[in-house]
Amino acid sequence: MLTRVGRDRPEVASTVAAFTAAAERQGLPMRVVDVPNGRHGFDALDHTEESRTAVRTARDALLDLLT
């Protein structure tokens, strides 16, 4: 489970890209929730509809993976 934001800091975005590439190479299952206008910490900082939707989507995906 990974939430990826479009406006992340470059040093964080590069590690996210490396992580997702490594997971794909290994064939690991991964769910990614993209938040194109989000920034690092969007879930606590940005009270937008996009942020709320991303948090709900991530919550629902995680619950689905656990059940």
Side-chain angles (χ1 to χ4, degrees), residues 39-47 51 55:
R39 60 184 165 145
H40 194 84
F42 78 93
D43 51 337
L45 300 173
D46 300 330
H47 301 280
S51 293
V55 169

PDB file of all heavy atoms in Angstrom, residues 39-47 51 55:
ATOM      1  N   ARG A  39       0.780  17.078  -1.772  1.00  0.00           N
ATOM      2  CA  ARG A  39       2.161  17.322  -1.352  1.00  0.00           C
ATOM      3  C   ARG A  39       2.454  16.404  -0.176  1.00  0.00           C
ATOM      4  O   ARG A  39       1.542  15.808   0.407  1.00  0.00           O
ATOM      5  CB  ARG A  39       2.360  18.770  -0.966  1.00  0.00           C
ATOM      6  CG  ARG A  39       1.469  19.208   0.179  1.00  0.00           C
ATOM      7  CD  ARG A  39       1.624  20.681   0.467  1.00  0.00           C
ATOM      8  NE  ARG A  39       0.524  21.124   1.313  1.00  0.00           N
ATOM      9  CZ  ARG A  39       0.650  22.042   2.238  1.00  0.00           C
ATOM     10  NH1 ARG A  39       1.815  22.624   2.433  1.00  0.00           N
ATOM     11  NH2 ARG A  39      -0.373  22.416   2.962  1.00  0.00           N
ATOM     12  N   HIS A  40       3.720  16.289   0.179  1.00  0.00           N
ATOM     13  CA  HIS A  40       4.109  15.449   1.304  1.00  0.00           C
ATOM     14  C   HIS A  40       3.345  15.916   2.542  1.00  0.00           C
ATOM     15  O   HIS A  40       3.356  17.089   2.872  1.00  0.00           O
ATOM     16  CB  HIS A  40       5.618  15.555   1.528  1.00  0.00           C
ATOM     17  CG  HIS A  40       6.142  14.499   2.433  1.00  0.00           C
ATOM     18  ND1 HIS A  40       6.468  13.243   1.986  1.00  0.00           N
ATOM     19  CD2 HIS A  40       6.387  14.501   3.760  1.00  0.00           C
ATOM     20  CE1 HIS A  40       6.899  12.516   2.993  1.00  0.00           C
ATOM     21  NE2 HIS A  40       6.858  13.251   4.086  1.00  0.00           N
ATOM     22  N   GLY A  41       2.640  15.010   3.184  1.00  0.00           N
ATOM     23  CA  GLY A  41       1.842  15.349   4.352  1.00  0.00           C
ATOM     24  C   GLY A  41       0.436  15.816   4.019  1.00  0.00           C
ATOM     25  O   GLY A  41      -0.275  16.333   4.870  1.00  0.00           O
ATOM     26  N   PHE A  42       0.019  15.596   2.781  1.00  0.00           N
ATOM     27  CA  PHE A  42      -1.300  16.054   2.332  1.00  0.00           C
ATOM     28  C   PHE A  42      -2.432  15.591   3.236  1.00  0.00           C
ATOM     29  O   PHE A  42      -3.413  16.294   3.437  1.00  0.00           O
ATOM     30  CB  PHE A  42      -1.587  15.595   0.896  1.00  0.00           C
ATOM     31  CG  PHE A  42      -2.003  14.156   0.810  1.00  0.00           C
ATOM     32  CD1 PHE A  42      -3.340  13.812   0.837  1.00  0.00           C
ATOM     33  CD2 PHE A  42      -1.059  13.148   0.755  1.00  0.00           C
ATOM     34  CE1 PHE A  42      -3.727  12.486   0.791  1.00  0.00           C
ATOM     35  CE2 PHE A  42      -1.433  11.820   0.711  1.00  0.00           C
ATOM     36  CZ  PHE A  42      -2.774  11.488   0.717  1.00  0.00           C
ATOM     37  N   ASP A  43      -2.281  14.372   3.762  1.00  0.00           N
ATOM     38  CA  ASP A  43      -3.369  13.793   4.553  1.00  0.00           C
ATOM     39  C   ASP A  43      -3.640  14.579   5.830  1.00  0.00           C
ATOM     40  O   ASP A  43      -4.754  14.566   6.342  1.00  0.00           O
ATOM     41  CB  ASP A  43      -3.081  12.323   4.874  1.00  0.00           C
ATOM     42  CG  ASP A  43      -1.707  12.104   5.469  1.00  0.00           C
ATOM     43  OD1 ASP A  43      -0.806  12.939   5.260  1.00  0.00           O
ATOM     44  OD2 ASP A  43      -1.527  11.075   6.136  1.00  0.00           O
ATOM     45  N   ALA A  44      -2.646  15.291   6.324  1.00  0.00           N
ATOM     46  CA  ALA A  44      -2.834  16.110   7.516  1.00  0.00           C
ATOM     47  C   ALA A  44      -2.914  17.605   7.187  1.00  0.00           C
ATOM     48  O   ALA A  44      -3.507  18.360   7.950  1.00  0.00           O
ATOM     49  CB  ALA A  44      -1.684  15.877   8.490  1.00  0.00           C
ATOM     50  N   LEU A  45      -2.345  18.003   6.054  1.00  0.00           N
ATOM     51  CA  LEU A  45      -2.229  19.430   5.749  1.00  0.00           C
ATOM     52  C   LEU A  45      -3.279  19.977   4.792  1.00  0.00           C
ATOM     53  O   LEU A  45      -3.673  21.135   4.911  1.00  0.00           O
ATOM     54  CB  LEU A  45      -0.839  19.719   5.158  1.00  0.00           C
ATOM     55  CG  LEU A  45       0.343  19.372   6.050  1.00  0.00           C
ATOM     56  CD1 LEU A  45       1.647  19.535   5.276  1.00  0.00           C
ATOM     57  CD2 LEU A  45       0.343  20.246   7.289  1.00  0.00           C
ATOM     58  N   ASP A  46      -3.678  19.177   3.829  1.00  0.00           N
ATOM     59  CA  ASP A  46      -4.554  19.675   2.767  1.00  0.00           C
ATOM     60  C   ASP A  46      -5.970  19.128   2.930  1.00  0.00           C
ATOM     61  O   ASP A  46      -6.205  17.946   2.722  1.00  0.00           O
ATOM     62  CB  ASP A  46      -4.012  19.267   1.388  1.00  0.00           C
ATOM     63  CG  ASP A  46      -2.626  19.831   1.141  1.00  0.00           C
ATOM     64  OD1 ASP A  46      -2.331  20.911   1.670  1.00  0.00           O
ATOM     65  OD2 ASP A  46      -1.854  19.189   0.419  1.00  0.00           O
ATOM     66  N   HIS A  47      -6.874  19.988   3.258  1.00  0.00           N
ATOM     67  CA  HIS A  47      -8.265  19.580   3.468  1.00  0.00           C
ATOM     68  C   HIS A  47      -9.062  19.834   2.193  1.00  0.00           C
ATOM     69  O   HIS A  47      -9.969  20.649   2.154  1.00  0.00           O
ATOM     70  CB  HIS A  47      -8.846  20.321   4.672  1.00  0.00           C
ATOM     71  CG  HIS A  47      -8.077  20.053   5.925  1.00  0.00           C
ATOM     72  ND1 HIS A  47      -8.244  18.905   6.657  1.00  0.00           N
ATOM     73  CD2 HIS A  47      -7.101  20.756   6.529  1.00  0.00           C
ATOM     74  CE1 HIS A  47      -7.421  18.922   7.685  1.00  0.00           C
ATOM     75  NE2 HIS A  47      -6.702  20.022   7.634  1.00  0.00           N
ATOM     76  N   SER A  51      -7.735  15.163  -1.369  1.00  0.00           N
ATOM     77  CA  SER A  51      -7.079  14.565  -0.201  1.00  0.00           C
ATOM     78  C   SER A  51      -8.014  13.628   0.540  1.00  0.00           C
ATOM     79  O   SER A  51      -7.623  12.516   0.904  1.00  0.00           O
ATOM     80  CB  SER A  51      -6.601  15.663   0.752  1.00  0.00           C
ATOM     81  OG  SER A  51      -5.582  16.414   0.172  1.00  0.00           O
ATOM     82  N   VAL A  55      -7.446   9.561   1.035  1.00  0.00           N
ATOM     83  CA  VAL A  55      -7.404   8.916   2.354  1.00  0.00           C
ATOM     84  C   VAL A  55      -8.450   7.810   2.430  1.00  0.00           C
ATOM     85  O   VAL A  55      -8.162   6.703   2.896  1.00  0.00           O
ATOM     86  CB  VAL A  55      -7.591   9.957   3.477  1.00  0.00           C
ATOM     87  CG1 VAL A  55      -7.809   9.279   4.824  1.00  0.00           C
ATOM     88  CG2 VAL A  55      -6.387  10.887   3.540  1.00  0.00           C
TER      89      VAL A  55
END
